[in-house]
Amino acid sequence: MDAVPNSLEDRLRSVTLPQVRVVLSAVQDTLRDQKTEPTATAYFSVVLVLLGQSIPASDGVLNGDLATSVVYLLDTITPFVPTLLLRSKFSQILAHLSVAFAHVKADAPLLRPATGCLESILVVQDAAAWDLSQTQVGPRAAIAILLNLALDRRPKVRKRALQALTKVLTHPPTPYLYHPAAELCAETSLKHLRDLAAAAGKSRRQRSQDETNHDPPLIHALQLVKTIAAASGGWPSENLEPLCELLLDTAKSSHEYLIMATFDVFEAIFLGMTDELASAKLPRLLEVISQLRPSDDDSHLLPPWVAILTRGHDVWAHVNPQEAFQELPKGFRLLSGFLASTSSNIRESASEGLVSLLENCIPDLAPWDRCAYADDVFAELAEAAKELLTVKYRDAWEGVFKTIGVMFEAFQVRADPSMEEVLKVISELRSANVFQGKKEADEVIGQAVAAMGPESALRILPLNLLESEPGQPGRAWMLPILRKHVSNASLAHFRSEFVPLSAAIFQKIIERGDAEHTMETKIFETVVQQIWGIFPGYCDLPRGLQQSFDQGFAEQIATILYKQVQLRADVCKALQNLVDSNKAIVGLEENAEQVAMRTGISTAEAQQNLEYLATFAGNVLAVLFNVYSETLPQYRGYILTCINAYLSITPQEELNSTFSKVVSLFKASLEEAGGEQQVDKRKKSGGNKLPPMSHTFMTLIITMAPYLPHESYPELFTLVMSLVQSGGDAQLQKKAYKLFPRLSESEAGTAALRQWGSESADMLVKSSDKVASPARRDRLAAIACLMDFTDRLEFIPSVLPETIISVKEVNEKAREAAFDLLVKMGRRMESGGSVVMSRVPNMPADAPDRDATLTEYFTMVAAGLADTSPHVVSATVTALARLLYEFRGKLEIKTIDDLVSTVDEFLISKNREVVRSVLGFVKVCVISLPVSVLQSRLQTLVPNLVRWNHEQRARFKAKIKHILERMIRRFGLDAVAKHCPAEDQKLITNIRKTKERRKRKKDANDDDDPARDDAGKGGKSSGAYGAEFDEALYGSDDSVSSSDEEVTGRKPSQKKQHGTESGRTFIVEDDDDDPIDLLDPKSLARMTSTKPRYAQLAGNRKKMKAQTNTDGKLVLGGDGDDGGVTFTKSASDANATVGGADPGAGVNAFVEALKGKHAAQRGQRGRLKFSNKGRAGDDDNNNNNEGARGSGGNVDEDVMDIDELSKKVTALRTSNAKPKPKPKQTQHEAAKGRANRSGRGGIKATQNQRRGLGALLTGTKTRDAATGGSTTATNTGRSAFKVDKRTTTNARVQSKRTAGAGAMARKRAKGR
């Protein structure tokens, strides 16, 4: 954006209109002739003389062109003229400009600068001038001119007048606080609005209902009122009532533009009263709006009236929160009465208004303010809410529930006991079976629980799960509500209320032992799981943590972690919340006092809670380590997250001791079983087997690494180096490489990497020949991490060869890591430095040092082109393509030219792998390099490219054609065709014709469907490719798919074509022909977004086809009952007849042989194949399926007979109703079996594992068959249908016979 000229010279220099430049030159010549200094006063004097000549004040003659130029110059000069001079010339200027304003030929180019002149001279007028009446020649007369221009039909003139009024009214003269002309502007604009509203209403009654007119003059008047209200500090108090009445009357219109303009006026009035001086008029304005309350049944005027009233209270709450809060009950009762209206529109508006009042007019800290007026306000609101739950408001219960829910959120701790009766009523409604609003009621009860806390909510609404008194129903449905909404609650309440409840219900489960798993047992298990699902909410910033979380409770939680597998996720989440929630309070920097008031926990108390939890961290980690080692890898995520939380608060000494024990156990596990044995064991184990213990220990070590003290890092790096250099277990090597990115996440780890970075880099260089393939990606990530912590640039050429080779890895993530590492190396070399080449492996000791530059880096990478292996050459070319795209703007032109010429020579290579990479490189060059750089290379690039167009494989042809298309776009058709050999000119011609044909097709589509062009203007999708390089290398436009189709003969993917059908809706029809009532809510069940398959929906209903004769023509008026078209089951049926005769039996046999279900089919590479299954759509599919059921084959569930399915369901119910008796077990055996199912180790193992680090850290082996969260699932085998081999053989023989019959039929037909 250009800077605004801040001096007269700049303003005059910026004048570009030719006629104005001519007048300006004449003025400047006059000043030079008079030898007058070109000041603002001198310019003003000369231009004022020209103004009198162009617009005489006496005869009213207007010289249009000259007047426009002179007034434009006057508007440019007046802001720089002294104030006293402008005041003295006010009458003279106004006299001339009045002629221009009143002239019938005055156009917008003249009126706009004239308005600017009026603005400049009005702003500088003093209070004495504004005291003159409107009939005298003074500022008020000029204001009247501006008010008339603000209603002009020309938008630019109207806009400039509104800007001038705003400027004048916002600069009142001294000593006025508000502009003295504001009252005049308000009265005049109000009069215009009243007259235009009356005229619009009269014309609206005369027009027919079909005619539409948005009444532009009325909208212009509303814009004028809005401008004055915004500029004059709201609106004069004496004119508030007539304005509001007029605006509300205007809002009755059905025109949305008028309604929006009316709302904008009220918004401007409210915003104009936000300052301290104007806010005193706000209560009066709201009182006026309240007194203008429409009729209770006025569905047109009530919604905008409610919106305006609530917006006013919102502004009032921002200006004076205390007054708005005290007046809230009055406004609440005023709007709540509309909820009983019969109009849904009114009820919805009233509900939204009540929600707005509660959200905006109750201060954030009001619930914790124990003042007298706050108690009264909350009591009145609660009483009003209780009235809303009566039968009177039954039609608005959805809005009532929404309002009460917001009220609970606003009341917070004040909800108890103010809203106690309201909560009871909602609970009674929720418990009724016939109540339809249970979802809304659950949401309100949840908001009540979050506001008043679970302790108060359960006191009002007890669960009554074990023992319920008469009239006290059970409320198990509250458990999911508590799980969702409990937070910042008392942890002691959970221990006293839910822990005994869980134990009592679990005891009922144990008493049943191994009896039949009845529905009652399943319900008990679900209730126990729901109870502990509430535990994470109680641990989210709990109150009374230090008093409730003692040693006994910690041991109880450990027991649950060991024995109750299904509860581990909730318990781990709860333990994690204990740490994370207190750390969030400690880390607060702003609003700490308000958060402490809301939660009851200060920053100091949260820090004490963390210190208290740190005393349990060692034992908690021991339990979590044991549980982690017993859980399958796919179910360990939440346990590892919880371990991270407690590692962050564990004391350093204890953490160091734990780390040493884990390392010793890891080494012991390696000694017990060698790396190869562990690999073999892992390969033989299934998906539900635990990994080797060495893998588990290594994962724990990596998890602990960022939190370790400084003295533990030597042992850690020694361990990692030994694993990297061993080359044994690939998984251990992979985990070892993950350590380096993990350490960079913490400050202590970053310091350790700076200390050990160079040594670790040397270790990675030496172990390059021992890298396992699965660990390649993690190794590249480790190299990229160490790049930031070593100053030795020779590390780059040392690892550069394996990085280049990695761009050809099979693993996609490994390739992406290699590309990122190449770019990172290039940026590091670009930053400068010196590379000590003598330290690079396989380099002589006297190798000279080299400066780190991009050119040198490209030279290092290009060295791979000299390798004898085609794979290495291909990888090097791919790496160069990526680097060239990244650094194309920073390389020298000579370097780029040498690089392109070198790679160009590989286009004539005979190795396809190399050529494929070179094609990608050429495409990057064509897309990204400047035209001047690549223009000279076309004479060699084009011939070398088109020589591969003769390749038999179509894949190269498609790539060559696409690259040539890109070349033609950038360099032109003639430039490319000139260097193309004569024998390949057909390809250039084909590209040209394809482009022209595509352009003609696109133009035709745009003419047919203009909306399609608008839909395609969104640009390229940012999520289609992971990086710009991928888009440049692999991305394309529509031409790629079309060219690929022409070259390869294959159509584009059908997935994109299917996307064009999205949004279509189908209706599933019944068997009868009754029409569907779309107004019936039940008809929604018949709507589907996928095309229905009527063959499956209709059961055994057969598809019917029209009869045809031997020539393929329809047979009309045959032997059918209706005398019309005769239909038969299938044209391919050998027994099908046409018109009652069988003249085409041979033709039918021929068709059956070609297209029948037993016909021979062509597979890949044209090989014949036979199938004993009917084709999709054949009429005999249902019969075949019935046969499959009888013989044990696969059954298509979609076409299964409904009666048979009903019989199976009935048999299943009968078998469930009469279970087979099981042998009785003793109570001890039942308890023992249940313990083995839910956990592992029994009570004795639990007691041993509960102490300290448990058996895991003491070396005791506690592994057995139970393996954690996933081991409770049983391995269910998949039943397979066995097909008799003789049946299959007979089917194949029959197919061959049918094919032979088909061949005979073809010979007969050919002979005929």
Side-chain angles (χ1 to χ4, degrees):
M1 182 180 294
D2 297 335
V4 178
N6 53 5
S7 64
L8 178 60
E9 290 76 10
D10 295 336
R11 291 285 298 273
L12 295 177
R13 198 179 299 114
S14 62
V15 174
T16 57
L17 296 177
Q19 295 177 355
V20 180
R21 294 294 302 177
V22 172
V23 176
L24 178 61
S25 300
V27 172
Q28 292 174 345
D29 292 341
T30 302
L31 293 178
R32 282 193 293 269
D33 294 341
Q34 296 177 357
K35 298 180 180 181
T36 303
E37 185 179 356
T39 61
T41 303
Y43 275 110
F44 179 73
S45 301
V46 177
V47 172
L48 198 59
V49 173
L50 293 177
L51 178 65
Q53 297 175 359
S54 60
I55 310 177
S58 58
D59 53 5
V61 179
L62 181 67
N63 189 352
D65 295 337
L66 179 60
T68 301
S69 302
V70 172
V71 174
Y72 186 92
L73 277 179
L74 185 62
D75 183 26
T76 305
I77 296 170
T78 48
F80 303 94
V81 177
T83 301
L84 295 178
L85 180 59
L86 286 178
R87 290 178 183 175
S88 63
K89 298 296 181 181
F90 174 78
S91 300
Q92 180 181 355
I93 297 175
L94 182 60
H96 293 292
L97 293 181
S98 299
V99 175
F101 286 126
H103 204 280
V104 293
K105 294 184 179 180
D107 53 0
L110 173 61
L111 295 179
R112 291 205 310 272
T115 305
C117 293
L118 281 183
E119 173 189 324
S120 300
I121 61 177
L122 285 174
V123 170
V124 299
Q125 299 302 311
D126 55 5
W130 286 106
D131 291 337
L132 298 176
S133 64
Q134 187 175 354
T135 57
Q136 297 176 341
V137 179
R140 292 181 180 270
I143 287 291
I145 296 175
L146 293 179
L147 291 173
N148 290 329
L149 290 176
L151 299 176
D152 195 272
R153 58 182 178 82
R154 290 161 289 192
K156 292 184 178 181
V157 174
R158 192 169 60 251
K159 179 181 178 181
R160 187 67 185 90
L162 293 176
Q163 292 175 352
L165 284 172
T166 303
K167 182 72 174 295
V168 172
L169 293 178
T170 53
H171 291 78
T174 306
Y176 290 101
L177 297 177
Y178 297 104
H179 205 284
E183 186 176 356
L184 170 63
C185 294
E187 293 177 355
T188 306
S189 60
L190 186 61
K191 182 179 181 301
H192 287 314
L193 179 62
R194 184 181 295 108
D195 296 340
L196 291 174
K202 184 178 179 180
S203 62
R204 195 179 302 118
R205 288 190 297 269
Q206 294 177 354
R207 290 194 305 263
S208 61
Q209 295 182 357
D210 297 335
E211 295 181 3
T212 59
N213 189 357
H214 298 302
D215 297 325
L218 185 57
I219 295 179
H220 300 162
L222 290 173
Q223 291 176 347
L224 175 60
V225 173
K226 174 186 174 182
T227 302
I228 296 173
S232 59
W235 194 261
S237 300
E238 56 273 11
N239 294 325
L240 276 177
E241 187 171 355
L243 175 64
C244 294
E245 184 177 0
L246 188 58
L247 290 176
L248 290 175
D249 185 67
T250 307
K252 293 181 180 179
S253 174
S254 59
H255 296 162
E256 59 181 0
Y257 297 107
L258 284 177
I259 297 175
M260 292 174 59
T262 305
F263 284 173
D264 291 340
V265 173
F266 275 109
E267 182 72 16
I269 295 175
F270 290 139
L271 293 179
M273 297 181 179
T274 54
D275 59 344
E276 184 177 356
L277 295 176
S279 61
K281 297 184 290 185
L282 189 56
R284 171 58 183 163
L285 176 60
L286 293 177
E287 183 181 357
V288 171
I289 296 175
S290 300
Q291 292 174 356
L292 296 174
R293 171 180 174 174
S295 174
D296 293 349
D297 298 330
D298 193 345
S299 60
H300 292 284
L301 188 56
L302 259 176
W305 178 81
V306 171
I308 293 168
L309 186 64
T310 53
R311 176 56 181 156
H313 278 82
D314 184 14
V315 175
W316 195 11
H318 284 83
V319 174
N320 197 332
Q322 183 176 352
E323 290 184 4
F325 178 58
Q326 293 178 359
E327 296 295 328
L328 176 59
K330 181 179 178 181
F332 188 89
R333 289 189 178 276
L334 178 63
L335 295 184
S336 61
F338 296 111
L339 291 175
S341 175
T342 57
S343 174
S344 59
N345 192 17
I346 295 177
R347 294 197 302 268
E348 184 178 356
S349 300
S351 174
E352 294 177 354
L354 291 173
V355 170
S356 177
L357 289 179
L358 293 172
E359 290 180 346
N360 297 318
C361 296
I362 298 181
D364 294 337
L365 300 180
W368 292 271
D369 188 4
R370 297 297 178 181
C371 56
Y373 74 90
D375 297 337
D376 297 337
V377 170
F378 285 117
E380 292 183 24
L381 291 176
E383 188 66 25
K386 192 186 305 181
E387 296 178 2
L388 294 178
L389 294 174
T390 58
V391 183
K392 178 182 178 181
Y393 302 97
R394 63 183 182 277
D395 294 334
W397 272 358
E398 184 177 354
V400 168
F401 282 165
K402 184 178 180 181
T403 303
I404 294 178
V406 175
M407 187 176 293
F408 273 116
E409 293 179 351
F411 275 39
Q412 291 296 320
V413 295
R414 293 276 190 168
D416 184 25
S418 300
M419 302 288 289
E420 180 177 347
E421 295 297 327
V422 175
L423 183 59
K424 287 182 180 180
V425 174
I426 295 177
S427 175
E428 293 174 358
L429 292 174
R430 167 64 175 80
S431 301
N433 295 329
V434 296
F435 185 63
Q436 301 296 326
K438 292 185 177 181
K439 181 179 179 182
E440 291 79 5
D442 288 346
E443 186 65 26
V444 175
I445 295 175
Q447 292 169 326
V449 171
M452 64 176 59
E455 187 173 1
S456 299
L458 292 178
R459 176 179 53 80
I460 301 172
L461 304 176
L463 294 176
N464 298 328
L465 296 182
L466 293 179
E467 298 178 359
S468 59
E469 300 178 359
Q472 295 291 335
R475 297 185 178 89
W477 47 267
M478 282 194 63
L479 293 176
I481 298 176
L482 292 171
R483 176 190 180 99
K484 184 179 180 181
H485 294 90
V486 169
S487 108
N488 190 217
S490 174
L491 189 58
H493 180 257
F494 181 84
R495 291 191 62 182
S496 61
E497 179 75 17
F498 289 101
V499 173
L501 179 62
S502 173
I505 297 178
F506 190 73
Q507 183 63 31
K508 293 179 178 293
I509 301 175
I510 296 178
E511 290 174 358
R512 282 163 174 75
D514 286 341
E516 185 66 22
H517 200 69
T518 60
M519 181 61 68
E520 186 178 0
T521 305
K522 181 62 178 177
I523 291 175
F524 286 154
E525 293 177 353
T526 303
V527 171
V528 171
Q529 191 167 0
Q530 288 180 346
I531 288 174
W532 285 97
I534 309 172
F535 188 40
Y538 273 93
C539 293
D540 185 9
L541 200 61
R543 297 195 300 270
L545 172 63
Q546 302 181 28
Q547 293 77 20
S548 304
F549 195 86
D550 52 11
Q551 184 66 28
F553 189 55
E555 292 179 359
Q556 190 174 5
I557 291 177
T559 304
I560 294 173
L561 284 173
Y562 283 126
K563 299 182 65 176
Q564 301 296 324
V565 179
Q566 66 276 10
L567 305 180
R568 284 179 179 173
D570 293 326
V571 174
C572 288
K573 180 63 177 176
L575 293 175
Q576 178 188 346
N577 286 348
L578 289 175
V579 178
D580 292 345
S581 59
N582 284 280
K583 289 174 65 176
I585 297 297
V586 173
L588 284 178
E589 297 180 358
E590 299 179 356
N591 302 326
E593 296 181 358
Q594 295 183 5
V595 173
M597 183 179 295
R598 286 173 172 271
T599 60
I601 298 177
S602 62
T603 304
E605 187 177 354
Q607 183 62 39
Q608 294 175 3
N609 290 339
L610 291 177
E611 295 174 358
Y612 179 76
L613 289 174
T615 59
F616 294 91
N619 292 333
V620 172
L621 286 176
V623 175
L624 293 175
F625 284 176
N626 289 331
V627 173
Y628 182 82
S629 64
E630 299 167 3
T631 309
L632 292 177
Q634 59 267 32
Y635 301 103
R636 289 176 169 180
Y638 61 90
I639 304 176
L640 206 60
T641 305
C642 186
I643 290 175
N644 273 285
Y646 279 87
L647 285 173
S648 63
I649 63 172
T650 304
Q652 296 293 316
E653 297 180 358
E654 191 171 0
L655 189 59
N656 190 17
S657 175
T658 303
F659 172 73
S660 301
K661 293 179 180 179
V662 174
V663 171
S664 61
L665 289 174
F666 171 70
K667 294 179 179 179
S669 64
L670 287 179
E671 294 176 357
E672 292 177 1
E676 296 180 358
Q677 296 179 2
Q678 291 186 7
V679 173
D680 295 340
K681 181 178 179 181
R682 182 177 55 83
K683 289 182 179 180
K684 293 178 182 179
S685 61
N688 55 351
K689 297 292 184 180
L690 286 173
M693 287 299 296
S694 57
H695 295 180
T696 301
F697 286 129
M698 191 62 198
T699 303
L700 294 176
I701 291 173
I702 295 174
T703 305
M704 298 172 65
Y707 308 101
L708 292 176
H710 182 73
E711 56 269 15
S712 300
Y713 284 115
E715 184 178 5
L716 176 64
F717 279 98
T718 302
L719 176 64
V720 171
M721 291 179 184
S722 62
L723 291 176
V724 171
Q725 295 177 351
S726 63
D729 192 346
Q731 292 299 320
L732 288 179
Q733 192 179 84
K734 184 177 180 179
K735 293 178 182 297
Y737 284 125
K738 288 182 178 180
L739 175 69
F740 298 99
R742 173 71 173 167
L743 285 176
S744 62
E745 298 175 0
S746 65
E747 295 181 0
T750 302
L753 286 175
R754 289 194 182 97
Q755 180 180 356
W756 295 79
S758 300
E759 186 175 350
S760 300
D762 295 339
M763 177 266 299
L764 290 181
V765 173
K766 295 177 182 178
S767 60
S768 60
D769 56 342
K770 299 180 181 179
V771 183
S773 181
R776 179 68 62 182
R777 178 174 67 92
D778 296 289
R779 176 180 170 85
L780 294 173
I783 293 174
C785 178
L786 289 176
M787 196 77 63
D788 299 329
F789 299 99
T790 178
D791 298 332
R792 298 166 58 179
L793 291 179
E794 57 271 12
F795 178 58
I796 294 178
S798 301
V799 297
L800 186 58
E802 65 171 312
T803 307
I804 295 175
I805 294 295
S806 298
V807 302
K808 302 288 288 184
E809 282 286 331
V810 178
N811 188 291
E812 181 181 0
K813 293 183 178 180
R815 296 196 303 270
E816 293 177 356
F819 283 127
D820 294 340
L821 181 56
L822 284 172
V823 173
K824 190 171 185 177
M825 290 178 178
R827 291 173 180 167
R828 183 65 186 277
M829 292 286 287
E830 182 186 5
S831 61
S834 179
V835 182
V836 183
M837 299 302 297
S838 59
R839 298 179 181 176
V840 179
N842 302 324
M843 291 294 292
D846 56 348
D849 298 343
R850 298 180 182 178
D851 295 332
T853 59
L854 271 180
T855 304
E856 181 64 28
Y857 179 61
F858 271 81
T859 304
M860 294 178 181
V861 177
L865 297 175
D867 199 279
T868 57
S869 172
H871 184 74
V872 176
V873 175
S874 175
T876 304
V877 174
T878 304
L880 287 173
R882 177 67 182 92
L883 293 174
L884 179 62
Y885 183 83
E886 183 70 26
F887 301 104
R888 61 187 182 276
K890 301 177 181 180
L891 286 175
E892 299 178 357
I893 299 300
K894 183 179 181 302
T895 304
I896 296 177
D897 189 67
D898 294 342
L899 184 62
V900 174
S901 61
T902 303
V903 178
D904 184 18
E905 298 178 358
F906 286 93
L907 271 175
I908 60 177
S909 174
K910 297 182 180 180
N911 188 276
R912 297 179 184 273
E913 183 181 9
V914 175
V915 174
R916 187 181 297 110
S917 299
V918 174
L919 290 179
F921 181 88
V922 172
K923 182 178 180 181
V924 171
C925 292
V926 172
I927 292 175
S928 59
L929 292 184
V931 176
S932 59
V933 176
L934 211 59
Q935 188 81 37
S936 59
R937 307 300 312 173
L938 291 180
Q939 58 183 354
T940 57
L941 273 178
V942 175
N944 292 339
L945 276 174
V946 297
R947 69 185 298 270
W948 288 100
N949 189 49
H950 305 286
E951 184 70 17
Q952 296 298 324
R953 296 189 178 183
R955 188 172 184 181
F956 270 15
K957 291 183 179 180
K959 290 185 177 181
I960 296 300
K961 183 175 181 180
H962 176 57
I963 294 175
L964 290 176
E965 288 177 353
R966 290 283 189 172
M967 285 184 172
I968 291 174
R969 284 187 205 171
R970 298 203 68 189
F971 307 109
L973 180 64
D974 297 336
V976 177
K978 179 175 63 174
H979 301 293
C980 184
E983 61 270 15
D984 295 308
Q985 287 293 333
K986 293 182 179 180
L987 178 59
I988 305 298
T989 304
N990 176 261
I991 293 174
R992 177 180 58 80
K993 291 183 177 180
T994 302
K995 183 178 180 180
E996 294 174 353
R997 182 167 58 251
R998 192 182 305 117
K999 186 177 183 300
R1000 290 195 301 268
K1001 185 177 180 180
K1002 182 179 179 181
D1003 294 340
N1005 292 337
D1006 292 342
D1007 295 339
D1008 295 339
D1009 189 6
R1012 182 183 307 175
D1013 192 28
D1014 297 337
K1017 293 181 180 179
K1020 295 183 179 180
S1021 174
S1022 59
Y1025 300 91
E1028 294 181 359
F1029 173 73
D1030 296 335
E1031 183 175 359
L1033 187 58
Y1034 306 110
S1036 181
D1037 54 2
D1038 297 339
S1039 62
V1040 182
S1041 58
S1042 60
S1043 60
D1044 291 347
E1045 177 183 353
E1046 293 175 6
V1047 176
T1048 62
R1050 292 179 295 179
K1051 294 184 178 181
S1053 174
Q1054 296 295 328
K1055 294 181 180 179
K1056 296 183 179 180
Q1057 298 179 3
H1058 292 168
T1060 60
E1061 298 182 0
S1062 62
R1064 298 180 60 185
T1065 305
F1066 300 90
I1067 299 177
V1068 181
E1069 299 178 355
D1070 292 336
D1071 293 338
D1072 51 10
D1073 295 333
D1074 295 338
I1076 298 176
D1077 185 7
L1078 295 180
L1079 297 178
D1080 187 2
K1082 296 181 180 179
S1083 63
L1084 293 177
R1086 299 185 182 182
M1087 304 297 178
T1088 177
S1089 59
T1090 57
K1091 190 173 182 179
R1093 301 174 63 183
Y1094 290 103
Q1096 298 178 0
L1097 297 174
N1100 294 328
R1101 184 170 59 186
K1102 302 293 184 180
K1103 293 182 179 179
M1104 307 299 291
K1105 298 182 179 180
Q1107 277 192 352
T1108 57
N1109 58 12
T1110 57
D1111 296 330
K1113 299 180 179 180
L1114 288 173
V1115 178
L1116 304 177
D1119 296 336
D1121 296 336
D1122 55 356
V1125 182
T1126 305
F1127 291 87
T1128 183
K1129 290 184 178 180
S1130 175
S1132 61
D1133 193 351
N1135 298 323
T1137 60
V1138 180
D1142 190 14
V1147 177
N1148 289 339
F1150 173 68
V1151 175
E1152 177 70 18
L1154 290 180
K1155 300 183 178 180
K1157 60 185 178 181
H1158 299 299
Q1161 301 296 323
R1162 293 283 181 179
Q1164 295 181 351
R1165 298 182 181 178
R1167 296 178 181 176
L1168 286 174
K1169 63 178 182 179
F1170 298 90
S1171 174
N1172 61 345
K1173 297 181 180 180
R1175 291 188 187 177
D1178 288 346
D1179 298 334
D1180 295 336
N1181 274 349
N1182 294 334
N1183 297 331
N1184 293 338
N1185 290 331
E1186 294 293 340
R1189 295 190 192 101
S1191 60
N1194 289 331
V1195 182
D1196 189 357
E1197 296 179 358
D1198 293 335
V1199 295
M1200 180 181 289
D1201 189 89
I1202 302 299
D1203 296 334
E1204 183 178 353
L1205 181 62
S1206 301
K1207 293 179 182 179
K1208 290 186 177 182
V1209 173
T1210 303
L1212 180 61
R1213 292 176 178 174
T1214 305
S1215 62
N1216 291 337
K1218 298 179 180 180
K1220 297 180 180 180
K1222 291 187 177 181
K1224 296 183 178 180
Q1225 294 180 336
T1226 63
Q1227 184 176 2
H1228 174 70
E1229 292 174 347
K1232 182 178 179 181
R1234 186 166 299 279
N1236 288 334
R1237 287 198 304 271
S1238 60
R1240 49 168 294 204
I1243 299 176
K1244 185 176 181 180
T1246 302
Q1247 294 175 352
N1248 293 333
Q1249 292 170 341
R1250 205 184 302 165
R1251 304 168 185 166
L1253 290 174
L1256 175 64
L1257 301 185
T1258 56
T1260 307
K1261 299 179 181 179
T1262 60
R1263 305 181 63 196
D1264 51 18
T1267 59
S1270 63
T1271 56
T1272 57
T1274 57
N1275 295 327
T1276 58
R1278 298 181 179 178
S1279 59
F1281 295 100
K1282 298 181 179 180
V1283 183
D1284 195 344
K1285 294 182 178 180
R1286 290 177 297 176
T1287 305
T1288 305
T1289 304
N1290 293 337
R1292 291 180 178 176
V1293 172
Q1294 181 65 25
S1295 300
K1296 293 181 179 180
R1297 291 177 179 176
T1298 306
M1304 294 296 294
R1306 287 194 294 271
K1307 290 181 180 180
R1308 291 182 188 140
K1310 187 176 181 180
R1312 292 176 185 174

